[in-house]
Amino acid sequence: MVTIRADEISNIIRERIEQYNREVKIVNTGIVLQVGDGIARIHGLDEVMEGELVEFEEGIIGIALNLESNNVGVVLMGDGLLMQEGCSVKATGRIAQIPVSMENLVAQLNLPLEEDLIKAQRVEAMQMAEEAKLADSTELAATLAEWNRKNPLLSWR
């Protein structure tokens, strides 16, 4: 028969108490009230922010957009057919973002990059100076200042 000594038990309990992690994590949760047409109505999520990403228990992500006093309207970013009323939802604490670089934006709008605009501006200014055959630097400065007034979006750098 195995004998258990009191000091062994107390050592084991003491070790477990020392290893115990009392970290408390507060999670903002809610329950699906209604799903349809890519929109879910959620009860709960009291601390959710507009535009915040929420995660459903099925793994679907949504964006909280319509914040009302008794429910939250969430746009689903996945298949809502998998969801049912009563499913749980949790707030992620992250606001929905789409990373966009200036180069991508300019490319989508079919606009020249800023560097190209600056180069074109300098070439045009130099052509103006050559055409006017400006020898006096004050006249050149005045001409460039006038050109900058006519082209407010571009600046001489």
Side-chain angles (χ1 to χ4, degrees):
M1 180 131 187
V2 177
T3 60
I4 300 175
R5 296 186 337 201
D7 61 336
E8 289 178 355
I9 293 174
S10 63
N11 285 338
I12 291 171
I13 292 173
R14 200 172 282 118
E15 286 176 13
R16 296 280 174 107
I17 290 172
E18 288 172 1
Q19 293 174 356
Y20 179 71
N21 186 2
R22 290 192 304 162
E23 183 178 320
V24 176
K25 184 176 181 181
I26 299 173
V27 179
N28 191 8
T29 61
I31 296 175
V32 176
L33 296 175
Q34 178 183 8
V35 181
D37 296 329
I39 305 289
R41 291 274 174 201
I42 312 298
H43 176 71
L45 294 179
D46 297 327
E47 300 296 320
V48 75
M49 298 176 283
E50 185 174 355
E52 184 175 345
L53 296 174
V54 297
E55 184 176 358
F56 295 86
E57 68 182 40
E58 294 82 7
I60 297 171
I61 300 293
I63 302 174
L65 292 179
N66 192 13
L67 306 179
E68 297 179 9
S69 61
N70 58 352
N71 67 62
V72 176
V74 174
V75 175
L76 303 176
M77 306 305 282
D79 190 7
L81 297 175
L82 301 174
M83 253 189 295
Q84 296 179 1
E85 296 174 3
C87 294
S88 67
V89 186
K90 68 178 181 177
T92 63
R94 298 185 341 248
I95 300 295
Q97 299 177 358
I98 300 172
V100 177
S101 68
M102 186 55 119
E103 288 80 16
N104 290 342
L105 181 63
V106 168
Q108 292 298 318
L109 296 175
N110 200 20
L111 297 173
L113 293 173
E114 184 179 356
E115 295 86 23
D116 295 337
L117 293 174
I118 292 169
K119 287 177 190 173
Q121 180 183 18
R122 286 182 179 163
V123 168
E124 186 176 342
M126 295 307 267
Q127 288 173 347
M128 286 175 56
E130 285 181 24
E131 289 173 6
K133 297 193 185 330
L134 299 173
D136 188 1
S137 62
T138 56
E139 286 183 58
L140 177 60
T143 304
L144 289 174
E146 179 63 29
W147 189 87
N148 281 332
R149 276 193 290 277
K150 291 179 183 177
N151 300 287
L153 294 178
L154 303 176
S155 62
W156 183 263
R157 292 186 187 181

